[in-house]
Amino acid sequence: MGSLIASVRFSVLDRSRTREGHTGPEALRDTVRLAQEVERLGYHRFWVSEHHGVPGVAGSAPTVLAAAVAGATRTIRVGTGGVMLPNHRPLVVAEQFGVLESLFPGRVDMGLGRSVGFTDGVRRALGRDKGDAEDFAAQLDELLSWFRGTSPTGVRARPAEGLAVPPFVLAMGEGATIAARAGLPMVIGDLRDRDRMRRGIDRYRDLFRPSEWASEPYVIVSGTIAVAATPERARRLLVPEAWSMAYSRTHGTFPPLPPAERVEALTMTARERGFYEEELRGRLAGTEETVAHELESVLGETGAREVLVTTSTHDREALLDSYRRLAAIAGLDGGTTARR
């Protein structure tokens, strides 16, 4: 284990991807079971995501799913990666996290993003448009005011007011600037575009203003990491999501994850093949030795304090094996035992 790897936290974001041959409810239960497994392995946080109207994603209500995860675990921190704030009224978000923190005190994280719906139809159904993301900084400030009890409306957010639920900003593009000016920890991806990631981190550190939430910059880097006994097995972990992403870019909708063997037997158009290969490139994938070397490089380049792993695949046992191997690389409490 490298010196930088030993100094950072490792956490997991599961997007509740649906899989061919399996239902959405199964995907949600898989997420809860994965949380229990990664808690045993010693990971620091387990987060869930928000997507609406996407055939390949079951996680549409992250605070509800976070409650299920928290109820099925004991010690791991639980949160969202994230609640897309432009989709909601800040008061309602504050109330939801106030309930979570009241039920599971000291374990809840509030990860917040600025995206709106995946398609025009979803945005219309949500009563939102792309312009709503431009108000993210103001929405974030309003949300935090409900916890402080400083809303000018005279309304009190119950049970949120007075509670300390750590906020995190999912930062792509302008998100880094917003996180810095608010003095909040920042989550940034993805690992395939290191130059863009470094630029965002540099901007965040340059503009950071200390706050009640963070006295200094706190960077979490996020992305796909796949670890297996051979490079070929690690690459196969990436295949289902790479194909689904390529399909979404050529057909406009993200489908359930197919088995790797079905993807490998497909005949793709040149355009599909190009997107597919692009999705496979730049991921942290390979044996323990390869991934450890790459992680040391990423941590050295970014100065990140935490790694948020976002891997999804069709083969759940292979996914869990990858998390076991990564836990061993990271020296997590349960990782060494799990690999014996």
Side-chain angles (χ1 to χ4, degrees):
M1 177 174 50
S3 58
L4 292 176
I5 292 175
S7 69
V8 303
R9 293 166 167 163
F10 281 78
S11 299
V12 174
L13 165 64
D14 191 69
R15 294 190 175 94
S16 304
R17 302 289 202 204
T18 55
R19 299 176 291 151
E20 284 188 5
H22 301 268
T23 65
E26 283 182 272
L28 296 173
R29 290 191 288 270
D30 283 342
T31 291
V32 175
R33 282 193 290 267
L34 181 62
Q36 293 171 324
E37 293 290 345
V38 301
E39 177 180 62
R40 282 193 280 271
L41 291 171
Y43 286 86
H44 183 60
R45 311 179 202 276
F46 188 91
W47 284 3
V48 296
S49 65
E50 175 182 343
H51 295 272
H52 299 284
V54 181
V57 184
S60 56
T63 53
V64 176
L65 185 52
V69 168
T73 55
R74 296 183 301 107
T75 58
I76 195 168
R77 296 195 64 85
V78 176
T80 57
V83 165
M84 297 300 138
L85 196 49
N87 290 338
H88 311 278
R89 293 302 309 163
L91 170 61
V92 176
V93 176
E95 290 171 336
Q96 290 172 346
F97 278 97
V99 170
L100 281 171
E101 176 64 20
S102 299
L103 291 172
F104 308 101
R107 290 180 59 204
V108 175
D109 298 324
M110 185 168 58
L112 306 162
R114 64 191 294 266
S115 297
V116 287
F118 187 66
T119 64
D120 288 339
V122 170
R123 287 189 286 272
R124 285 194 299 272
L126 291 169
R128 298 291 186 268
D129 59 46
K130 288 184 177 180
D132 288 304
E134 302 307 313
D135 296 327
F136 180 64
Q139 294 160 354
L140 182 61
D141 185 62
E142 180 186 341
L143 172 61
L144 297 180
S145 78
W146 291 113
F147 290 93
R148 298 185 186 111
T150 57
S151 170
T153 64
V155 176
R156 314 294 284 273
R158 307 187 189 281
E161 187 175 316
L163 297 180
V165 183
F168 298 76
V169 173
L170 277 61
M172 295 300 289
E174 284 302 305
T177 300
I178 293 168
R181 290 176 173 163
L184 300 180
M186 177 183 74
V187 184
I188 189 166
D190 67 45
L191 295 172
R192 292 175 302 163
D193 192 341
R194 306 276 184 86
D195 289 339
R196 183 185 183 196
M197 179 183 283
R198 281 195 300 268
R199 288 194 299 271
I201 291 170
D202 289 344
R203 185 166 65 252
Y204 170 69
R205 290 197 171 109
D206 288 344
L207 298 174
F208 185 84
R209 300 172 182 171
S211 73
E212 64 193 279
W213 301 107
S215 59
E216 60 184 13
Y218 188 92
V219 175
I220 303 174
V221 294
S222 69
T224 296
I225 302 175
V227 194
T230 67
E232 294 75 22
R233 289 182 183 177
R235 186 181 186 277
R236 293 190 93 233
L237 277 166
L238 307 178
V239 164
E241 187 165 41
W243 166 247
S244 292
M245 289 297 294
Y247 187 94
S248 74
R249 294 174 71 179
T250 52
H251 295 77
T253 183
F254 185 91
L257 299 179
E261 55 271 21
R262 189 175 80 74
V263 175
E264 291 167 341
L266 288 173
T267 300
M268 303 183 199
T269 66
R271 187 163 180 260
E272 288 169 340
R273 175 67 64 180
F275 285 137
Y276 172 66
E277 295 294 342
E278 180 184 331
E279 289 295 330
L280 290 173
R281 281 193 295 272
R283 305 289 191 184
L284 269 62
T287 63
E288 284 92 331
E289 182 179 4
T290 300
V291 170
H293 176 75
E294 283 293 310
L295 272 172
E296 282 285 314
S297 175
V298 169
L299 295 172
E301 291 172 12
T302 62
R305 307 271 295 279
E306 188 169 340
V307 177
L308 181 68
V309 188
T310 63
T311 310
S312 298
T313 195
H314 187 277
D315 185 336
R316 297 297 292 188
E317 184 49 48
L319 178 65
L320 181 56
D321 182 64
S322 177
Y323 277 121
R324 290 187 188 115
R325 292 175 184 271
L326 181 58
I329 292 170
L332 304 185
D333 292 344
T336 304
T337 302
R339 290 297 303 141
R340 286 177 183 163

